[in-house]
mmCIF file of all heavy atoms in Angstrom:
data_model
loop_
_atom_site.group_PDB
_atom_site.id
_atom_site.type_symbol
_atom_site.label_atom_id
_atom_site.label_comp_id
_atom_site.label_asym_id
_atom_site.label_seq_id
_atom_site.Cartn_x
_atom_site.Cartn_y
_atom_site.Cartn_z
ATOM 1 N N THR H 409 54.996 40.286 -57.895
ATOM 2 C CA THR H 409 54.469 39.947 -59.213
ATOM 3 C C THR H 409 55.067 38.566 -59.698
ATOM 4 O O THR H 409 56.227 38.308 -59.499
ATOM 5 C CB THR H 409 54.763 41.015 -60.264
ATOM 6 O OG1 THR H 409 54.232 40.590 -61.485
ATOM 7 C CG2 THR H 409 56.259 41.282 -60.430
ATOM 8 N N ILE H 410 54.236 37.764 -60.368
ATOM 9 C CA ILE H 410 54.672 36.522 -60.970
ATOM 10 C C ILE H 410 54.918 36.795 -62.479
ATOM 11 O O ILE H 410 55.233 35.791 -63.198
ATOM 12 C CB ILE H 410 53.708 35.383 -60.715
ATOM 13 C CG1 ILE H 410 52.349 35.720 -61.282
ATOM 14 C CG2 ILE H 410 53.654 35.078 -59.213
ATOM 15 C CD1 ILE H 410 51.365 34.530 -61.227
ATOM 16 N N ASP H 411 54.768 38.014 -62.908
ATOM 17 C CA ASP H 411 54.983 38.337 -64.345
ATOM 18 C C ASP H 411 56.019 39.520 -64.391
ATOM 19 O O ASP H 411 55.663 40.594 -64.881
ATOM 20 C CB ASP H 411 53.701 38.706 -64.998
ATOM 21 C CG ASP H 411 53.884 38.950 -66.516
ATOM 22 O OD1 ASP H 411 54.865 38.603 -67.066
ATOM 23 O OD2 ASP H 411 52.962 39.567 -67.076
ATOM 24 N N PRO H 412 57.258 39.240 -63.933
ATOM 25 C CA PRO H 412 58.216 40.356 -63.903
ATOM 26 C C PRO H 412 58.650 40.890 -65.267
ATOM 27 O O PRO H 412 59.095 41.974 -65.341
ATOM 28 C CB PRO H 412 59.408 39.696 -63.169
ATOM 29 C CG PRO H 412 59.240 38.261 -63.395
ATOM 30 C CD PRO H 412 57.803 37.988 -63.420
ATOM 31 N N ALA H 413 58.458 40.102 -66.346
ATOM 32 C CA ALA H 413 58.851 40.516 -67.690
ATOM 33 C C ALA H 413 57.967 41.784 -68.045
ATOM 34 O O ALA H 413 58.437 42.717 -68.707
ATOM 35 C CB ALA H 413 58.603 39.472 -68.637
ATOM 36 N N HIS H 414 56.745 41.783 -67.573
ATOM 37 C CA HIS H 414 55.829 42.884 -67.920
ATOM 38 C C HIS H 414 55.833 43.880 -66.740
ATOM 39 O O HIS H 414 55.831 45.122 -66.909
ATOM 40 C CB HIS H 414 54.453 42.359 -68.095
ATOM 41 C CG HIS H 414 53.428 43.510 -68.285
ATOM 42 N ND1 HIS H 414 52.759 44.079 -67.245
ATOM 43 C CD2 HIS H 414 52.979 44.179 -69.430
ATOM 44 C CE1 HIS H 414 51.941 45.004 -67.753
ATOM 45 N NE2 HIS H 414 52.122 45.099 -69.061
ATOM 46 N N ASP H 415 55.833 43.385 -65.482
ATOM 47 C CA ASP H 415 55.667 44.188 -64.315
ATOM 48 C C ASP H 415 57.016 44.762 -63.843
ATOM 49 O O ASP H 415 57.604 44.295 -62.903
ATOM 50 C CB ASP H 415 54.934 43.424 -63.227
ATOM 51 C CG ASP H 415 53.488 43.122 -63.508
ATOM 52 O OD1 ASP H 415 52.984 43.732 -64.360
ATOM 53 O OD2 ASP H 415 52.932 42.182 -62.920
ATOM 54 N N THR H 416 57.425 45.811 -64.549
ATOM 55 C CA THR H 416 58.682 46.570 -64.163
ATOM 56 C C THR H 416 58.356 47.382 -62.992
ATOM 57 O O THR H 416 57.195 47.590 -62.644
ATOM 58 C CB THR H 416 59.132 47.370 -65.325
ATOM 59 O OG1 THR H 416 58.097 48.352 -65.660
ATOM 60 C CG2 THR H 416 59.383 46.574 -66.595
ATOM 61 N N PRO H 417 59.337 47.987 -62.345
ATOM 62 C CA PRO H 417 59.100 48.889 -61.241
ATOM 63 C C PRO H 417 58.157 50.002 -61.631
ATOM 64 O O PRO H 417 57.295 50.410 -60.847
ATOM 65 C CB PRO H 417 60.484 49.440 -60.924
ATOM 66 C CG PRO H 417 61.438 48.322 -61.166
ATOM 67 C CD PRO H 417 60.811 47.664 -62.450
ATOM 68 N N GLN H 418 58.294 50.596 -62.861
ATOM 69 C CA GLN H 418 57.386 51.622 -63.317
ATOM 70 C C GLN H 418 55.978 51.171 -63.418
ATOM 71 O O GLN H 418 54.986 51.862 -63.056
ATOM 72 C CB GLN H 418 57.893 52.301 -64.641
ATOM 73 C CG GLN H 418 57.065 53.537 -65.067
ATOM 74 C CD GLN H 418 57.135 54.615 -64.004
ATOM 75 O OE1 GLN H 418 58.150 55.066 -63.598
ATOM 76 N NE2 GLN H 418 55.948 55.128 -63.618
ATOM 77 N N VAL H 419 55.824 49.967 -64.021
ATOM 78 C CA VAL H 419 54.433 49.440 -64.128
ATOM 79 C C VAL H 419 53.818 49.228 -62.762
ATOM 80 O O VAL H 419 52.638 49.528 -62.518
ATOM 81 C CB VAL H 419 54.485 48.068 -64.924
ATOM 82 C CG1 VAL H 419 53.171 47.343 -64.852
ATOM 83 C CG2 VAL H 419 54.820 48.380 -66.398
ATOM 84 N N LEU H 420 54.652 48.678 -61.819
ATOM 85 C CA LEU H 420 54.123 48.472 -60.482
ATOM 86 C C LEU H 420 53.790 49.825 -59.791
ATOM 87 O O LEU H 420 52.788 49.926 -59.030
ATOM 88 C CB LEU H 420 55.168 47.756 -59.625
ATOM 89 C CG LEU H 420 55.441 46.299 -60.054
ATOM 90 C CD1 LEU H 420 56.560 45.678 -59.236
ATOM 91 C CD2 LEU H 420 54.148 45.422 -59.920
ATOM 92 N N LYS H 421 54.567 50.834 -60.065
ATOM 93 C CA LYS H 421 54.284 52.154 -59.448
ATOM 94 C C LYS H 421 52.959 52.729 -60.003
ATOM 95 O O LYS H 421 52.217 53.274 -59.234
ATOM 96 C CB LYS H 421 55.461 53.089 -59.806
ATOM 97 C CG LYS H 421 55.378 54.396 -59.019
ATOM 98 C CD LYS H 421 56.617 55.283 -59.396
ATOM 99 C CE LYS H 421 56.722 56.548 -58.571
ATOM 100 N NZ LYS H 421 57.048 56.282 -57.128
ATOM 101 N N ASP H 422 52.775 52.536 -61.285
ATOM 102 C CA ASP H 422 51.549 52.990 -61.904
ATOM 103 C C ASP H 422 50.343 52.239 -61.377
ATOM 104 O O ASP H 422 49.269 52.743 -61.143
ATOM 105 C CB ASP H 422 51.572 52.865 -63.411
ATOM 106 C CG ASP H 422 52.585 53.821 -64.061
ATOM 107 O OD1 ASP H 422 52.958 54.784 -63.374
ATOM 108 O OD2 ASP H 422 52.973 53.537 -65.210
ATOM 109 N N HIS H 423 50.545 50.921 -61.123
ATOM 110 C CA HIS H 423 49.474 50.068 -60.628
ATOM 111 C C HIS H 423 49.104 50.494 -59.177
ATOM 112 O O HIS H 423 47.912 50.550 -58.826
ATOM 113 C CB HIS H 423 49.974 48.638 -60.607
ATOM 114 C CG HIS H 423 48.894 47.599 -60.273
ATOM 115 N ND1 HIS H 423 47.811 47.299 -61.069
ATOM 116 C CD2 HIS H 423 48.760 46.891 -59.109
ATOM 117 C CE1 HIS H 423 47.080 46.413 -60.368
ATOM 118 N NE2 HIS H 423 47.636 46.181 -59.259
ATOM 119 N N ALA H 424 50.183 50.767 -58.408
ATOM 120 C CA ALA H 424 49.864 51.146 -56.989
ATOM 121 C C ALA H 424 49.089 52.527 -56.953
ATOM 122 O O ALA H 424 48.201 52.660 -56.196
ATOM 123 C CB ALA H 424 51.199 51.345 -56.230
ATOM 124 N N LYS H 425 49.481 53.372 -57.885
ATOM 125 C CA LYS H 425 48.825 54.711 -57.974
ATOM 126 C C LYS H 425 47.334 54.493 -58.420
ATOM 127 O O LYS H 425 46.484 55.117 -57.901
ATOM 128 C CB LYS H 425 49.534 55.623 -58.928
ATOM 129 C CG LYS H 425 48.916 56.974 -59.013
ATOM 130 C CD LYS H 425 49.795 57.907 -60.022
ATOM 131 C CE LYS H 425 49.180 59.241 -60.082
ATOM 132 N NZ LYS H 425 49.966 60.133 -61.040
ATOM 133 N N MET H 426 47.143 53.559 -59.364
ATOM 134 C CA MET H 426 45.821 53.260 -59.866
ATOM 135 C C MET H 426 44.880 52.723 -58.718
ATOM 136 O O MET H 426 43.697 53.100 -58.639
ATOM 137 C CB MET H 426 45.864 52.283 -61.027
ATOM 138 C CG MET H 426 44.496 51.953 -61.654
ATOM 139 S SD MET H 426 43.733 50.542 -60.881
ATOM 140 C CE MET H 426 44.871 49.185 -61.305
ATOM 141 N N LEU H 427 45.545 51.881 -57.916
ATOM 142 C CA LEU H 427 44.714 51.309 -56.775
ATOM 143 C C LEU H 427 44.422 52.321 -55.666
ATOM 144 O O LEU H 427 43.505 52.193 -54.914
ATOM 145 C CB LEU H 427 45.546 50.173 -56.149
ATOM 146 C CG LEU H 427 45.670 48.865 -56.996
ATOM 147 C CD1 LEU H 427 46.504 47.841 -56.273
ATOM 148 C CD2 LEU H 427 44.299 48.255 -57.393
ATOM 149 N N GLY H 428 45.289 53.372 -55.605
ATOM 150 C CA GLY H 428 45.105 54.376 -54.523
ATOM 151 C C GLY H 428 45.781 53.957 -53.228
ATOM 152 O O GLY H 428 45.401 54.345 -52.202
ATOM 153 N N VAL H 429 46.929 53.281 -53.402
ATOM 154 C CA VAL H 429 47.803 52.807 -52.269
ATOM 155 C C VAL H 429 48.322 54.007 -51.601
ATOM 156 O O VAL H 429 48.865 54.898 -52.248
ATOM 157 C CB VAL H 429 48.858 51.869 -52.733
ATOM 158 C CG1 VAL H 429 49.786 51.532 -51.620
ATOM 159 C CG2 VAL H 429 48.243 50.585 -53.266
ATOM 160 N N LYS H 430 48.212 54.096 -50.238
ATOM 161 C CA LYS H 430 48.732 55.201 -49.447
ATOM 162 C C LYS H 430 49.825 54.859 -48.549
ATOM 163 O O LYS H 430 50.688 55.639 -48.186
ATOM 164 C CB LYS H 430 47.588 55.783 -48.634
ATOM 165 C CG LYS H 430 46.404 56.356 -49.492
ATOM 166 C CD LYS H 430 45.300 56.838 -48.547
ATOM 167 C CE LYS H 430 44.162 57.437 -49.417
ATOM 168 N NZ LYS H 430 43.037 57.922 -48.497
ATOM 169 N N SER H 431 49.960 53.638 -48.158
ATOM 170 C CA SER H 431 50.914 53.184 -47.120
ATOM 171 C C SER H 431 52.299 53.146 -47.799
ATOM 172 O O SER H 431 52.503 52.497 -48.802
ATOM 173 C CB SER H 431 50.592 51.839 -46.568
ATOM 174 O OG SER H 431 51.541 51.389 -45.700
#
Side-chain angles (χ1 to χ4, degrees):
T409 179
I410 59 172
D411 185 15
H414 176 271
D415 292 341
T416 62
Q418 185 59 52
V419 170
L420 292 176
K421 191 177 185 69
D422 293 342
H423 185 73
K425 184 177 180 180
M426 182 270 294
L427 291 177
V429 172
K430 297 178 180 178
S431 174

